[in-house]
Amino acid sequence: MSCPEWRYHLLRAASERFQTSPSALDAARLAQVEQLAHKTLALENQVLITPEARDTSIPESQLAAAVAAIRQRYDDADAFLNDLENNGLDENALQLALRRELIFDAVMQQVGARAEAVSAVDEQLFYELQHERFSRPEQRTARHILLTINAEFAENQRDVALARIEHIAAQLQGQVEDFGTLASQHSECPTAMQGGRLGTLPRGQLYPALDAVLFALAEGEMSGVVESELGFHVLLCERIEPAVMMTFAQVQPKIHALLQTRRQREYQKSWLANLATTYSNSNTK
C-alpha cells in the first residue's frame, strides 16, 4: 500500500508509538506500526463514507492551523519538506491526510454529542460509590538535613558522617527554630538552598525509611538520625494537614465531566461497532 493516506497513518503510528519515523524502526517495530496504521486507516475510511462525514466541512483556516502545528516542529522549511519527502509525502498529500483526520475527529465529536446527558442522580451515585477518589490524604510539611556517605572524602566516610549529623542533631535539641539555618549550612542536599525544605508531602513520596519516620512525628517534632539510600538524615515535621474528604459540591463539576466523557466514548464505540458491522455486510454482498 503506497497511497498518501497510508503513508500518513504509518508515520503517525510510528511517531505516537516509538517517537520516530518508520524508516528508523527495526522489522519487529515496523510490523507493529504497520498493523496499527492498517487499523486506523480502515476505521477512518469507514467513518468518511458516512452521511455525517459527507455533511462535514473543514474551514481552510483550521486546516492551515493543523499544517502549521506540524511545521513548527521543524527548524526550518527545508527540514519540514525533506522529512515529508523521506516519508513519501509532500505538502499536498499532508493537507489531504490532515483534512481527512479533521473530518474524522469532527464526526466523532458529533456522534459523542448524541450520548445521553449525565443526570444529577448519576453524579451523586458516583460520588457515594467512589468516596476514596475524593479524599485528600494526610500531608506533612517537612524539612531535612542530609549528610551523604562517600568513602572518597574523609568527612563523608560512614563513621565520620554519622558523628557529624549526630552533632548537628544535638545542637537542634530544643531549638528546632534553627533547623532551616543549620540545614542551609550543613545539608548536602539541593534543598539546603531552601533551608532543607522538602515541601508538603503525602505518604509514599520519600524513601520508605524516611516516610515511616516523618509520619510518626508530631507537629513541630524533630527525628533522630535516619539512614536512607542517600545517607544520614534528620527530619523536622513542621505542619500536619489531616486527611480531608471533599464535599459533593466541590467535586461535582469534575464528576460531571468524567461521566459525560465516559458516556460519550461508550456511545462512540457502539456507533463504530455498528458501522464496522454494516461495512462488513456491505462488502460481502
Side-chain angles (χ1 to χ4, degrees):
M1 186 180 296
S2 60
C3 66
E5 297 90 339
W6 159 253
R7 296 193 190 102
Y8 176 75
H9 278 260
L10 186 65
L11 176 60
R12 189 178 69 181
S15 178
E16 292 176 354
R17 182 67 63 88
F18 299 112
Q19 295 76 54
T20 190
S21 62
S23 61
L25 298 174
D26 58 31
R29 291 186 173 186
L30 181 59
Q32 289 182 42
V33 300
E34 286 179 341
Q35 183 179 27
L36 178 59
H38 277 296
K39 289 181 179 180
T40 57
L41 179 58
L43 183 61
E44 186 177 84
N45 284 336
Q46 290 175 25
V47 170
L48 292 185
I49 62 174
T50 62
E52 290 86 350
R54 290 195 294 269
D55 294 338
T56 299
S57 61
I58 301 299
E60 291 302 315
S61 59
Q62 186 178 358
L63 178 60
V67 173
I70 294 177
R71 164 68 180 81
Q72 69 181 7
R73 302 173 191 169
Y74 298 86
D75 294 333
D76 53 46
D78 288 340
F80 169 59
L81 295 174
N82 288 338
D83 195 43
L84 288 181
E85 184 178 358
N86 291 337
N87 286 283
L89 297 166
D90 56 27
E91 286 191 275
N92 289 334
L94 178 63
Q95 289 186 17
L96 171 63
L98 287 174
R99 187 183 297 278
R100 286 168 54 92
E101 185 176 60
L102 290 169
I103 292 173
F104 176 91
D105 291 343
V107 170
M108 296 310 298
Q109 289 180 12
Q110 294 171 31
V111 171
R114 299 173 188 169
E116 183 181 355
V118 172
S119 70
V121 174
D122 296 326
E123 295 165 358
Q124 186 70 50
L125 182 61
F126 186 85
Y127 176 76
E128 297 298 335
L129 295 177
Q130 302 285 337
H131 260 171
E132 70 283 355
R133 297 181 63 160
F134 307 113
S135 62
R136 189 190 70 195
E138 178 185 322
Q139 299 183 100
R140 298 193 171 209
T141 301
R143 294 180 189 266
H144 82 143
I145 297 171
L146 165 67
L147 296 186
T148 58
I149 300 171
N150 188 336
E152 295 183 5
F153 299 95
E155 66 273 20
N156 290 101
Q157 292 182 8
R158 182 182 182 82
D159 292 345
V160 177
L162 179 57
R164 288 171 58 212
I165 201 162
E166 286 177 340
H167 178 69
I168 294 170
Q171 288 181 267
L172 286 166
Q173 290 302 323
Q175 301 183 70
V176 294
E177 64 275 8
D178 295 332
F179 196 99
T181 299
L182 289 182
S184 298
Q185 293 172 353
H186 301 289
S187 183
E188 295 169 353
C189 175
T191 59
M193 299 291 291
Q194 293 81 42
R197 184 175 173 83
L198 291 169
T200 302
L201 309 166
R203 291 182 187 272
Q205 296 296 302
L206 301 175
Y207 285 103
L210 300 178
D211 200 67
V213 170
L214 175 61
F215 280 84
L217 294 173
E219 187 169 292
E221 185 180 7
M222 188 184 78
S223 74
V225 175
V226 186
E227 185 173 1
S228 78
E229 291 86 338
L230 296 177
F232 296 115
H233 308 251
V234 175
L235 290 163
L236 172 63
C237 177
E238 290 190 306
R239 186 173 71 252
I240 297 175
E241 297 182 11
V244 175
M245 174 62 70
M246 290 178 279
T247 67
F248 175 71
Q250 288 175 310
V251 298
Q252 184 272 335
K254 290 184 178 180
I255 293 176
H256 179 85
L258 172 67
L259 294 182
Q260 196 64 48
T261 298
R262 183 182 295 177
R263 188 164 290 182
Q264 289 174 351
R265 287 176 178 170
E266 290 172 352
Y267 192 95
Q268 289 168 338
K269 287 180 181 179
S270 176
W271 184 79
L272 288 172
N274 291 333
L275 191 64
T277 300
T278 302
Y279 185 83
S280 176
N281 290 340
S282 65
N283 284 341
T284 58
K285 291 181 181 179

